[in-house]
Amino acid sequence: MTMKNEESLAFATIEELAALLARRKISPVELTDLFLRRIEQQNPALNAFLTVTAEPALAAARRAEKELLRGRGARRDKSPLLGIPISLKDNLWTRGIRSTAGSKILRDFVPTEDSTATRKLARAGAILLGKTNMNEFAYGIDGANAHYGPTHNPWALDRISGGSSAGSAAAIAAGLCVASLGTDTGGSIRVPSALCGTVGLKPTFGRVSVFGTMPLAPSLDHVGPMARSVADVALLLGSIAGRDPLDPASSARPVEDYRGALKKPLRKFRLGRPREHYWEKLDPEVRRAAETAVREMEKRGAEVREVSLPHLKESLEAGTEISLAEALHVHEATGYFPARAAEYGEEVRQRIESGAKVPAHRYLAGFDVKKRLLAQFEEAFRSVDAVVAPTVPVPAPSIGAESVQIDGEAIGTRPMIVGHSRPANFTGLPAISVPCGFTRDGLPVGLQLIGRAFDESTLLRIANSYERENDWRARRP
């Protein structure tokens, strides 16, 4: 295998690799070995993986290879993930493999069972390469970790990767795995996907089981796929979605054929451009890339309409208060806080402590705001198929930057980054981030689409229609 071929394989999609595996142009063992070598070479600079599972990965690859050689490759139509090397965010339980959730407290925690999403991917034949770095207990948006160090953005090592699913996005962008699963409580799938130039989907609340995931704020938590293409994200979603008796919040609604939905023609669709919040304060290069993307979709049949969502800004504070209160409850219920408060990173400990300052009436009032905002989204969806906006208002800031400059104003990095992503968690609506360009410095920009509850198919079809005509994957870090 030449270096050029290896590079091509490292940045291939699930669909492309599945075809090669089915034709026996490459074996699961060769593919897994390729990614393990790339992790060994590049992870010291990126810090994307906390745990690498080389021996179990190669053993799983050998099992996949035997299945393909026995002529049972026809199963691939039902399980195209057979032999595909992936990673998992380290707050998803993996039986017999440590799952730290990016914390010192769980440094040596080895679960005795898999999360539901982990189990489903394993049954589909995916090969786990390892567990990825993240903000401690998923409580952060920049990819910095007080205990294990920051994840570096593959496009510029001095820049943040975004968080909290930092390592997952960085690993995909750098060609260290084909795909990953992340979690998203305030943007933790979409933000790193946008800043690292990958595709990330936060499904509808309840669409994917969160059983076996270390919670942050249960009413806002989601598990979702991250990959190189919209088609890969659709494939992964179909593999992990569905009702789970172990997660009472999971939905019994039937799982659609998301992959098949992409094959249906999409000639005309309607996009809603919010009058409030999303398009107000933007880095000029982010604005240029996002507006160009919207114009491109208009050329391809989209009708763009202005929509009004006046409770958006109110929802940001309400979502923060719900997150603070629920995070405190989670950490008290596990017994980690305050008993082991000294083992938390300072920033995370302060946020958990802040949960005690949220009065019960403010917490409950937050859900009233949620109802009002959700009603406004539902009204907007009477006339549009999806809401469109930049995923993150700025390109990836420098690691450690406490503020960013927009129009000469210094704005805190965390509220600026999370402000565009949190409303979809707050309402539970599905949202996807797709690459839509680069800054002059070569930093990726992401475009976000928010859709109707349990209508991931429409979001995926719109995102796929844009990606087909504007595929940014040719550019690599």
Side-chain angles (χ1 to χ4, degrees):
M1 193 186 306
T2 67
M3 185 175 295
K4 185 177 180 180
N5 286 342
E6 287 192 358
E7 187 81 359
S8 177
L9 289 170
F11 289 93
T13 66
I14 294 175
E15 289 195 326
E16 291 165 346
L17 292 174
L20 293 173
L21 288 166
R23 298 199 306 267
R24 300 181 186 175
K25 297 294 185 181
I26 190 171
S27 75
V29 172
E30 291 172 326
L31 195 57
T32 300
D33 182 67
L34 164 64
F35 283 106
L36 289 172
R37 282 188 282 110
R38 289 181 66 85
I39 292 170
E40 184 178 10
Q41 294 162 2
Q42 298 187 33
N43 195 57
L46 294 172
N47 199 27
F49 281 85
L50 294 181
T51 300
V52 179
T53 54
E55 290 185 12
L58 288 169
R62 287 190 288 270
R63 290 193 297 271
E65 189 163 318
K66 287 179 181 178
E67 184 165 349
L68 289 167
L69 290 174
R70 280 199 300 265
R72 291 170 61 192
R75 190 185 87 133
R76 178 165 300 286
D77 289 338
K78 296 181 180 179
S79 181
L81 291 172
L82 179 62
I84 300 295
I86 65 163
S87 66
L88 294 171
K89 186 176 180 179
D90 206 29
N91 60 344
L92 292 160
W93 291 358
T94 41
R95 182 167 59 89
I97 300 168
R98 76 168 187 159
S99 303
T100 71
S103 71
K104 183 178 180 180
I105 289 171
L106 297 177
R107 182 185 296 271
D108 300 314
F109 172 58
V110 178
T112 57
E113 59 185 330
D114 285 326
S115 75
T116 296
T118 299
R119 185 177 67 254
K120 286 185 173 183
L121 289 186
R123 286 181 176 175
I127 296 168
L128 178 62
L129 296 169
K131 307 294 291 296
T132 54
N133 199 359
M134 56 182 286
N135 286 87
E136 180 183 2
F137 286 121
Y139 217 167
I141 204 70
D142 57 0
N145 187 294
H147 310 294
Y148 304 101
T151 300
H152 298 266
N153 194 313
W155 296 92
L157 295 178
D158 64 333
R159 303 286 183 139
I160 70 169
S161 57
S164 62
S165 306
S168 292
I172 296 166
L176 306 190
C177 66
V178 185
S180 190
L181 293 187
T183 63
D184 193 314
T185 304
S188 292
I189 287 173
R190 291 157 290 147
V191 167
S193 294
L195 298 186
C196 291
T198 62
V199 180
L201 172 70
K202 182 201 76 65
T204 307
F205 184 81
R207 178 72 291 181
V208 176
S209 171
V210 297
F211 173 78
T213 305
M214 176 64 201
L216 173 55
S219 68
L220 306 173
D221 291 344
H222 303 67
V223 172
M226 306 169 71
R228 297 192 206 294
S229 73
V230 174
D232 285 358
V233 162
L235 191 159
L236 288 162
L237 178 62
S239 298
I240 62 175
R243 171 67 178 159
D244 178 15
L246 299 173
D247 176 9
S250 64
S251 173
R253 291 181 63 142
V255 176
E256 296 181 50
D257 179 5
Y258 303 111
R259 190 175 174 217
L262 300 184
K263 300 174 183 178
K264 298 177 182 177
L266 181 69
R267 293 183 180 89
K268 292 186 178 181
F269 53 92
R270 301 162 301 169
L271 295 177
R273 179 170 170 145
R275 184 182 305 140
E276 302 86 2
H277 179 59
Y278 279 114
W279 293 87
E280 292 175 355
K281 286 190 177 293
L282 297 174
D283 174 90
E285 292 193 87
V286 169
R287 183 182 296 278
R288 173 183 53 80
E291 289 184 339
T292 299
V294 173
R295 285 196 298 270
E296 284 291 322
M297 286 192 277
E298 282 187 286
K299 292 178 184 177
R300 304 291 173 184
E303 179 185 343
V304 180
R305 303 176 177 180
E306 188 175 78
V307 295
S308 182
L309 302 166
H311 286 294
L312 271 172
K313 290 184 179 179
E314 185 184 3
S315 77
L316 299 179
E317 183 178 359
T320 296
E321 290 182 333
I322 289 172
S323 180
L324 288 169
E326 292 189 0
L328 173 62
H329 173 69
V330 164
H331 286 262
E332 287 180 337
T334 56
Y336 304 153
F337 191 87
R340 304 179 68 175
E343 297 176 68
Y344 288 83
E346 182 179 356
E347 186 176 2
V348 173
R349 184 177 64 251
Q350 288 177 353
R351 286 192 193 135
I352 291 173
E353 288 172 345
S354 295
K357 300 175 184 177
V358 179
H361 75 277
R362 290 294 303 164
Y363 174 75
L364 294 173
F367 289 94
D368 290 333
V369 178
K370 174 181 177 177
K371 292 176 185 176
R372 292 195 291 271
L373 180 59
L374 191 53
Q376 289 173 352
F377 268 105
E378 289 171 351
E379 178 63 27
F381 290 137
R382 291 176 182 268
S383 60
V384 301
D385 299 303
V387 169
V388 63
T391 309
V392 183
V394 293
S398 299
I399 292 174
E402 295 184 0
S403 64
V404 294
Q405 291 281 334
I406 294 184
D407 297 331
E409 179 184 358
I411 303 173
T413 301
R414 177 181 170 81
M416 172 55 68
I417 290 177
V418 81
H420 279 208
S421 52
R422 174 156 279 168
N425 296 89
F426 188 64
T427 57
L429 296 172
I432 189 170
S433 178
V434 293
C436 70
F438 290 84
T439 67
R440 293 182 182 87
D441 291 333
L443 297 174
V445 178
L447 188 74
Q448 179 176 215
L449 296 163
I450 304 171
R452 300 179 184 90
F454 296 101
D455 191 15
E456 285 83 1
S457 287
T458 296
L459 276 189
L460 290 164
R461 291 174 70 203
I462 294 173
N464 188 57
S465 72
Y466 172 75
E467 183 185 77
R468 277 202 317 269
E469 303 296 333
N470 303 271
D471 194 344
W472 298 97
R473 283 177 294 162
R475 294 184 64 163
R476 299 171 185 170

